[in-house]
């Protein structure tokens, strides 16, 4: 007797379908008494990290000459900054360094312009300000206050504990309000966000410095607000 392979496969599939239909379907019951809620905690802390950017610009008809002038100015500033660096209190790194052509209306290159930058950052505001005021080859281009990573983590940990306790207290109040003895914890998410508030820094303009400008740059840090939110679901029991 010769068997048709296609007929055999079709028969097996048919038997499998019949067996599947004969099996009882298991329906998962929907969760009951679920409540969605959230709780937040916020704290305002003083900013402990300063990032100060210095820079300079050069232009001329020759690209190599512009690059050489920028490098000379940056090397001098970098050497001076490294001498005053101190781990945790004042760190030094190079910033932007670029050269680009200048074009006329006909699209021809008429010259070159470039810029170079140096970044001073750390917790020692006085040391950073004094060093920025002493560097002669670069001028101040920007000031930013923020929270250091260590301070951000520390504050978030403290605020997170408060937010979790508020979530638990709120969940207990909701359960009690609905006449339940307690609650079970469902899916929960914890998120943190920060917002910085800094006054406009009183810094020197980007222009040639005179001997009177060698004094430390006056700076004033602002505040950062750190908020942690706990949101999720509970099942009343």
């Amino acid at each position: 007797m010769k068997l048709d392979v296609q007929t055999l496969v079709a028969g097996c599939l048919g038997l499998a379908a019949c067996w599947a239909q004969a099996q009882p379907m298991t329906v998962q019951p929907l969760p009951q008494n679920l409540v969605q809620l959230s709780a937040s905690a916020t704290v305002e802390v003083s900013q402990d990290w300063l990032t100060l950017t210095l820079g300079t610009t050069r232009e001329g008809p020759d690209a190599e000459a512009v690059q050489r002038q920028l490098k000379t100015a940056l090397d001098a500033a970098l050497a001076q900054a490294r001498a005053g660096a101190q781990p945790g209190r004042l760190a030094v790194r190079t910033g932007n360094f670029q050269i680009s052509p200048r074009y006329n209306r006909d699209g021809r290159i008429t010259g070159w312009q470039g810029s170079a930058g140096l970044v001073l950052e750390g917790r020692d505001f006085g040391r950073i300000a004094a060093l920025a005021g002493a560097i002669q080859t670069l001028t101040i281009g920007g000031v930013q206050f923020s929270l250091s990573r260590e301070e951000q983590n520390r504050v978030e940990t403290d605020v997170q504990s408060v937010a979790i306790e508020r979530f638990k207290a709120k969940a207990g109040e909701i359960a009690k309000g609905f006449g339940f003895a307690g609650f079970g914890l469902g899916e929960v998410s914890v998120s943190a966000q920060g917002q910085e508030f800094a006054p406009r820094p009183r810094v020197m303009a980007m222009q040639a410095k005179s001997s009177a400008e060698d004094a430390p740059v006056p700076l004033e840090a602002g505040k950062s607000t750190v908020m942690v939110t706990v949101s999720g679901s509970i099942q009343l029991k």
Side-chain angles (χ1 to χ4, degrees):
M1 182 178 179
K2 186 177 180 181
L3 294 177
D4 189 337
V5 176
Q6 292 182 348
T7 303
L8 181 60
V9 172
C12 292
L13 292 176
L15 289 174
C18 292
W19 180 85
Q21 292 178 0
Q23 299 304 308
M25 295 183 62
T26 302
V27 179
Q28 296 293 336
L30 295 175
Q32 300 294 319
N33 305 324
L34 285 181
V35 177
Q36 299 287 334
L37 69 149
S38 64
S40 300
T42 304
V43 66
E44 188 178 82
V45 293
S46 297
Q47 295 160 340
D48 69 328
W49 193 261
L50 169 63
T51 302
L52 194 151
T53 304
L54 300 97
T56 189
T57 59
R58 295 288 190 278
E59 61 180 31
D62 183 68
E64 292 185 3
V66 172
Q67 178 176 316
R68 185 167 55 252
Q69 293 171 14
L70 290 173
K71 184 177 182 300
T72 299
L74 184 59
D75 284 345
L78 189 57
Q80 190 173 358
R82 284 173 175 168
Q86 187 172 357
R89 299 181 64 187
L90 195 164
V92 180
R93 58 183 172 89
T94 55
N96 173 65
F97 192 106
Q98 64 176 9
I99 299 175
S100 58
R102 290 188 289 114
Y103 299 92
N104 60 15
R105 294 181 178 179
D106 298 327
R108 295 182 179 180
I109 296 177
T110 59
W112 296 84
Q113 59 186 6
S115 61
L118 184 68
V119 179
L120 309 177
E121 57 186 352
R123 295 185 178 86
D124 194 334
F125 295 176
R127 179 183 290 264
I128 295 173
L131 179 58
I135 292 177
Q136 298 296 307
T137 58
L138 303 179
T139 51
I140 296 173
V143 175
Q144 180 181 4
F145 294 98
S146 61
L147 289 180
S148 64
R149 182 177 302 177
E150 295 79 8
E151 183 68 3
Q152 179 79 23
N153 292 338
R154 185 193 68 79
V155 174
E156 283 186 7
T157 299
D158 295 341
V159 179
Q160 177 178 288
S161 299
V162 176
I164 291 175
E165 290 302 319
R166 289 182 179 178
F167 182 91
K168 291 162 59 178
K170 191 173 182 179
E173 293 173 358
I174 291 175
K176 183 178 179 181
F178 280 106
F180 290 85
F183 64 91
L185 197 61
E187 184 176 351
V188 176
S189 65
V190 180
S191 60
Q193 60 182 351
Q195 186 174 7
E196 296 178 359
F197 302 93
R200 183 183 298 273
R202 303 186 303 276
V203 300
M204 292 179 291
M206 293 189 66
Q207 58 186 7
K209 297 178 181 178
S210 64
S211 59
E213 290 178 316
D214 291 340
V217 180
L219 300 170
E220 183 180 355
K223 298 284 187 178
S224 286
T225 298
V226 178
M227 180 174 68
V228 175
T229 300
V230 180
S231 58
S233 62
I234 60 171
Q235 185 173 17
L236 305 181
K237 296 182 178 181

